[in-house]
Amino acid sequence: MRLARHLPVTTLAAAIAISGHAQAQTEITVATVNNNDMVIMQSLTEAFEEAHPDITLDWVVLEENVLRQRMTTDIATGGAQFDVMTIGTYEVPIWAERGWLSPLDNLPDAYNEDDLLASVRDGLSYDDTLHALPFYAESSMMYYRTDLFEEAGIEMSEQPTWEEVREWAGELHGTQDGLAGICLRGKPGWGENMAFVSTLVNTYGGRWFDEEWNPELNSEAWVNAIQFYVDLLNDYGPPGASSNGFNENLALFSRGNCAMWVDATSAAGKLYDGNESDVADSLGFDPAPVAETPKGSHWLWSWALAIPASSENQDAAREFITWATSQEYIELVGETQGWTSVPPGTRESTYANEQYTEAAPFADFVLKAIKDADPTDSTLEPNPYVGVQFVGIPEFQSIGTQVGQTIAAALTGDTTVEQALESAQRATERTMQRAGYIER
């Protein structure tokens, strides 16, 4: 009341307006992974806040394994630390079933939900309702240095096999200072080394579980696949391969330190950007290699933005995630960051955009890989689960991480492949028994 007695009317009106604006401000906390596409999203904070002056963004950007641990703990305990979570095709249906995520129905017409790729939309839905919106989607592929292949007289196959890859890695390894024949994920984690390893096992004819949910981690297919992986990286991989995940290998390949790399299709945009990559002018790509079968050789994944049911800022969070996954956002990135930098794999309209397809020679290849990946039929022998590079059950997060640690131990020579897989088999059997999948 003292303010009203001593301030002029115009000043009072301004003060009230400022006070009202401050009260209307909503700060939302966005948890995301430190991948290149998310770093770009964070850099466009100002564009969002200018278009939404009543919302401010607070970012928590973490390494992938740490992010998953923090978010899982928070949402399971109702901690409500985050208003937006960056999660994926694995978490969405499991968390939605438990009521942990807000359903994303009644999206605005301008969002054009029908423009989302069907396989990606289905993977982020529960009871036919989206519970996360896709920021980018990916499969996996092989990248290689065309200059090195030409110098060595190596002709790339239309569909490379892992035996061919090993032979090529041996020919190219060390031919330049600091050059590894191949780079692959070694950092332990269900979404790090096991994402790659699962596809390798798939194409060797293996599976995580038989149709009765009995683990098969000590099967001949697993032993052959993991022994091949360990030998390949120890013979022709970079130093410290067991510490390298997606981002570490992306940095190595973009600097020219890898002759080949098998990993996410989402890396293609950065690798083809001459401002970001030293190998942009000598970059080739091919399907992910196969061994006994092509089934499950390339994965299907989407990093997506979801709203925890515990968030107290539901409306503001929805404003942000619809903006960050919209066609408008993709065009903003293309115009400000370059068209190879747009988030791939989410919208049909992206692949109908000539500016994108002309800048990104990999566009049609990536789109086909995403559409061809089948999480309902990913192994040579039938299995009871959904997923290519993961098993769509709640227990897999701990199982996959534990198995990833044992395989990393085999990679560093702390244990043999057979010992690692026997240990993984026993631990997984105990977990499945406790969870009631199999009898004790």
Side-chain angles (χ1 to χ4, degrees):
M1 295 300 296
R2 292 179 61 189
L3 182 69
R5 283 200 300 271
H6 295 287
L7 288 179
V9 173
T10 53
T11 307
L12 175 61
I16 292 171
I18 292 170
S19 175
H21 180 67
Q23 289 174 355
Q25 277 285 329
T26 300
E27 181 180 81
I28 61 172
T29 302
V30 181
T32 196
V33 66
N34 62 341
N35 289 353
N36 186 60
D37 291 276
M38 286 71 171
V39 172
I40 292 173
M41 175 170 59
Q42 186 183 12
S43 75
L44 294 171
T45 295
E46 187 176 338
F48 173 79
E49 291 180 347
E50 284 180 357
H52 303 82
D54 56 334
I55 304 172
T56 57
L57 304 178
D58 175 40
W59 293 89
V60 177
V61 183
L62 300 167
E63 183 269 332
E64 184 171 326
N65 286 338
V66 177
L67 175 78
R68 286 182 161 133
Q69 203 169 43
R70 284 273 304 273
M71 290 191 305
T72 301
T73 300
D74 183 69
I75 202 161
T77 59
Q81 293 183 51
F82 309 114
D83 299 297
V84 174
M85 288 182 166
T86 305
I87 59 178
T89 315
Y90 166 72
E91 295 96 344
V92 171
I94 295 171
W95 292 6
E97 184 180 10
R98 295 181 175 186
W100 292 350
L101 302 177
S102 296
L104 299 172
D105 47 6
N106 299 319
L107 292 168
D109 290 342
Y111 185 74
N112 193 4
E113 184 180 335
D114 290 339
D115 187 40
L116 300 176
L117 295 181
S119 60
V120 175
R121 187 175 65 239
D122 291 346
L124 300 175
S125 297
Y126 174 71
D127 276 350
D128 297 324
T129 299
L130 280 164
H131 281 72
L133 301 182
F135 181 64
Y136 74 75
E138 64 185 27
S139 185
S140 52
M141 63 198 284
M142 186 167 83
Y143 303 96
Y144 66 98
R145 293 266 305 275
T146 57
D147 57 336
L148 298 177
F149 272 62
E150 288 171 7
E151 287 170 13
I154 302 171
E155 186 172 341
M156 175 56 72
S157 304
E158 188 173 329
Q159 171 57 74
T161 68
W162 277 112
E163 285 301 328
E164 286 178 319
V165 167
R166 178 178 174 81
E167 181 182 334
W168 299 332
E171 289 186 51
L172 298 174
H173 185 75
T175 54
Q176 293 182 2
D177 188 37
L179 178 68
I182 190 163
C183 291
L184 298 170
R185 296 189 191 190
K187 180 188 290 186
W190 73 265
E192 279 284 10
N193 64 342
M194 294 315 298
F196 166 75
V197 165
S198 293
T199 61
L200 180 67
V201 169
N202 290 342
T203 195
Y204 264 80
R207 56 188 174 176
W208 278 88
F209 302 98
D210 70 14
E211 291 182 278
E212 303 301 322
W213 289 106
N214 296 295
E216 292 198 335
L217 304 181
N218 57 357
S219 67
E220 182 180 0
W222 271 84
V223 171
N224 289 342
I226 304 307
Q227 191 66 63
F228 176 86
Y229 163 77
V230 166
D231 291 344
L232 179 63
L233 275 181
N234 282 329
D235 290 345
Y236 307 123
S242 63
S243 299
N244 295 339
F246 169 75
N247 280 321
E248 292 81 5
N249 282 320
L250 174 57
L252 284 170
F253 193 91
S254 65
R255 291 198 301 262
N257 296 125
C258 311
M260 293 176 285
W261 180 35
V262 181
D263 211 299
T265 58
S266 57
K270 183 168 184 175
L271 292 176
Y272 267 98
D273 183 346
N275 296 318
E276 299 277 348
S277 168
D278 294 337
V279 297
D281 294 332
S282 57
L283 182 61
F285 55 88
D286 225 31
V290 301
E292 304 299 324
T293 175
K295 275 195 174 186
S297 62
H298 56 284
W299 66 62
L300 179 64
W301 180 256
S302 175
W303 277 116
L305 303 178
I307 304 171
S310 58
S311 169
E312 297 178 357
N313 301 305
Q314 297 281 327
D315 291 343
R318 182 179 279 237
E319 283 287 338
F320 173 70
I321 69 171
T322 53
W323 173 82
T325 61
S326 65
Q327 186 175 348
E328 170 195 5
Y329 174 84
I330 290 171
E331 291 171 355
L332 173 66
V333 174
E335 291 165 3
T336 61
Q337 312 293 316
W339 283 98
T340 59
S341 297
V342 306
T346 60
R347 290 183 170 272
E348 297 281 1
S349 56
T350 302
Y351 295 89
N353 187 325
E354 290 185 1
Q355 290 175 287
Y356 178 63
T357 55
E358 288 177 7
F362 51 84
D364 289 342
F365 177 91
V366 169
L367 181 62
K368 184 178 186 301
I370 290 172
K371 288 185 172 182
D372 285 351
D374 186 355
T376 66
D377 184 21
S378 60
T379 55
L380 185 61
E381 299 294 329
N383 71 63
Y385 52 86
V386 174
V388 180
Q389 80 283 19
F390 61 82
V391 177
I393 57 174
E395 294 76 15
F396 182 74
Q397 185 163 346
S398 61
I399 290 172
T401 296
Q402 188 170 26
V403 175
Q405 290 166 347
T406 64
I407 288 176
L411 181 59
T412 57
D414 292 336
T415 185
T416 67
V417 167
E418 288 81 1
Q419 289 169 339
L421 292 178
E422 285 294 341
S423 173
Q425 175 75 9
R426 291 193 300 271
T428 304
E429 283 177 349
R430 288 194 297 270
T431 300
M432 298 301 280
Q433 287 168 353
R434 286 196 298 267
Y437 288 85
I438 56 179
E439 293 183 3
R440 293 180 182 271

